[in-house]
Amino acid sequence: SWFRGRKGILPGGGAWGWAAWLRWWRGSKLVTVKWAGLPLWTALTFLVGLFVLVRKVEIVGRPYHRTVPPSRRNYRLIAVADLHGDFRSAMQCLQMAQVVDRGGKWIAGNARVVQLGDVVDRGSDSIRLMKALLKLQKDAYAAGGRLEMLIGNHELLYLAGDFTYASENEMRTLGKGNLTLGQNLYRKLFAAEGALGKTFLERPVAVVMGQGRCRSLFVHGGFQAPFLQNSSSLDIVNQKVSDFLHSGLITELLSNSSQSFDFEKSLLAREGPIRYRGYAMLSRREICPELDNLLAILSVERMIVGHTVQKKGPRVRCNGRLILIDTGVSRNVNGMQVVWECSGGESRFLSNADSSKS
């Protein structure tokens, strides 16, 4: 009403063009101009809506891993170990950590979640679980968070064409009652060129995440310092493994062929970071000094590993510098749901029963 009371400003019933505003600023008598025959507020609403729509299309159209820069704010750090084809237990773990809601949607904001590998095998939901995690990975990036899935020894088996531990029930269901058909479809899906198998090729062997006292190294089996000294950085280790997996030579390596693969062979061998069990099996005297050396090189507080099942619950070794969190989440293994979380420098275990500091 104030504008309408001012002389020459917004006389009733008209909309304005840029020429009229320019003349007004120059001190000329303001001229009412209609824009596409629409009232002022309708035109403005249309223009704002068009701008928002264009921006939304532009953002959605970009690759998801480039849409959100790394967050500089504090964030929760969460780790979950081997899931082995149990969709229900996996979702319960993520709900327990407030990563997803009951509908399976990402609600963790800028949190960082690391899945330590071995998503497949044993359980009858490997396909469903893989698809759900891949979707969550995209949703996490869109929300400013991150879901990182490491490669485990069972993903390696799939890339080598070994489906010994795959669920027969899942394959029969995939083949609509025909087991042979289901096996063929399953193999095609998880082959190196398959829709799900090709995602294994890009998975890192190990990652470092976290801030301050939460900064940690994550790996499926266990990382030994000599591997890092020989390659100078985790990025180089991850790239070498990825290149080797893309080469298609994994079958020859896992079959103990006499062909030499040098550094790549050692990375994927039993003593390598994906398949190593020494940190769970050897004495403190044998592992803790080497672990301290590794953590000092990487400037991290601890190493989090899966792979070797801890049936009585997660284990903390080497004065909190080593945490073994594979409690056999899948009901086909041990059915104990445990998640590791760190926030504000404090780390703890989450379980269906209670939570305790680590």
Side-chain angles (χ1 to χ4, degrees):
S1 61
W2 181 86
F3 278 108
R4 289 183 179 275
R6 308 299 295 174
K7 183 177 180 181
I9 299 180
L10 292 181
W16 294 63
W18 292 109
W21 283 108
L22 183 60
R23 292 182 62 186
W24 182 70
W25 281 110
R26 289 176 176 175
S28 304
K29 184 177 180 181
L30 200 59
V31 177
T32 302
V33 179
K34 287 188 175 182
W35 186 81
L38 296 175
L40 176 64
W41 296 113
T42 302
L44 289 177
T45 302
F46 173 78
L47 290 173
V48 171
L50 182 62
F51 173 78
V52 171
L53 178 61
V54 169
R55 287 291 298 162
K56 183 175 180 62
V57 170
E58 178 186 355
I59 292 173
V60 171
R62 298 173 187 165
Y64 72 84
H65 59 280
R66 295 180 181 175
T67 55
V68 181
S71 174
R72 296 181 180 178
R73 298 176 297 162
N74 292 331
Y75 55 79
R76 289 192 302 139
L77 183 62
I78 298 157
V80 59
D82 312 34
L83 299 174
H84 281 304
D86 191 336
F87 178 85
R88 175 180 158 189
S89 290
M91 290 300 110
Q92 287 175 343
C93 283
L94 296 177
Q95 289 170 23
M96 182 167 56
Q98 297 183 348
V99 172
V100 301
D101 60 17
R102 290 189 176 183
K105 294 182 179 180
W106 180 271
I107 58 171
N110 70 338
R112 305 304 197 253
V113 180
V114 183
Q115 197 287 315
L116 296 177
D118 279 7
V119 172
V120 297
D121 273 345
R122 305 194 189 281
S124 58
D125 295 323
S126 292
I127 296 174
R128 183 185 181 190
L129 182 54
M130 274 290 302
K131 290 181 177 179
L133 291 177
L134 290 172
K135 182 180 183 303
L136 273 179
Q137 195 171 48
K138 294 182 180 181
D139 293 343
Y141 273 103
R146 186 173 175 184
L147 169 59
E148 191 73 75
M149 292 189 285
L150 307 185
I151 189 165
N153 58 301
H154 282 262
E155 282 81 23
L156 288 182
L157 289 175
Y158 275 26
L159 291 176
D162 186 345
F163 297 90
T164 302
Y165 303 99
S167 167
E168 186 175 298
N169 288 335
E170 183 171 19
M171 291 187 288
R172 182 177 283 107
T173 300
L174 184 62
K176 298 181 179 180
N178 187 324
L179 179 58
T180 302
L181 175 60
Q183 289 174 330
N184 292 334
L185 293 173
Y186 196 87
R187 287 174 177 272
K188 183 178 180 181
L189 193 60
F190 283 105
E193 66 278 4
L196 296 180
K198 65 183 180 182
T199 66
F200 298 158
L201 301 176
E202 309 303 328
R203 288 193 187 185
V205 172
V207 294
V208 170
M209 285 193 187
Q211 304 162 311
R213 289 189 296 169
C214 288
R215 184 173 168 82
S216 307
L217 168 66
F218 299 89
V219 61
H220 182 68
F223 213 103
Q224 299 182 77
F227 288 105
L228 193 61
Q229 293 168 346
N230 291 338
S231 63
S232 75
S233 77
L234 283 181
D235 289 338
I236 293 178
V237 169
N238 289 329
Q239 188 60 55
K240 282 182 175 291
V241 171
S242 178
D243 292 344
F244 184 80
L245 294 178
H246 276 92
S247 73
L249 296 174
I250 182 67
T251 303
E252 287 83 354
L253 188 151
L254 294 184
S255 64
N256 296 317
S257 170
S258 59
Q259 185 175 353
S260 174
F261 301 98
D262 301 322
F263 185 62
E264 291 82 355
K265 180 178 180 180
S266 63
L267 280 170
L268 298 176
R270 292 187 182 277
E271 299 298 309
I274 299 175
R275 304 168 65 189
Y276 187 56
R277 296 188 188 272
Y279 284 112
M281 310 296 291
L282 300 178
S283 68
R284 291 169 51 92
R285 185 176 298 177
E286 293 175 282
I287 64 170
C288 292
E290 180 179 2
L291 176 65
D292 288 340
N293 182 29
L294 171 68
L295 301 185
I297 293 173
L298 294 173
S299 299
V300 297
E301 295 291 318
R302 64 188 67 79
M303 179 168 66
I304 315 289
V305 302
H307 190 41
T308 304
V309 179
Q310 311 298 309
K311 291 188 176 181
K312 295 182 179 180
R315 289 174 66 195
V316 179
R317 306 191 71 188
C318 302
N319 298 318
R321 307 275 273 172
L322 173 65
I323 301 179
L324 300 95
I325 64 168
D326 182 9
T327 56
V329 166
S330 173
R331 290 165 293 170
N332 300 282
V333 180
N334 193 39
M336 182 182 294
Q337 298 169 13
V338 173
V339 174
W340 178 85
E341 178 188 52
C342 191
S343 180
E346 293 289 330
S347 67
R348 60 174 181 161
F349 298 114
L350 303 176
S351 70
N352 284 344
D354 56 12
S355 64
S356 57
K357 289 186 178 181
S358 59

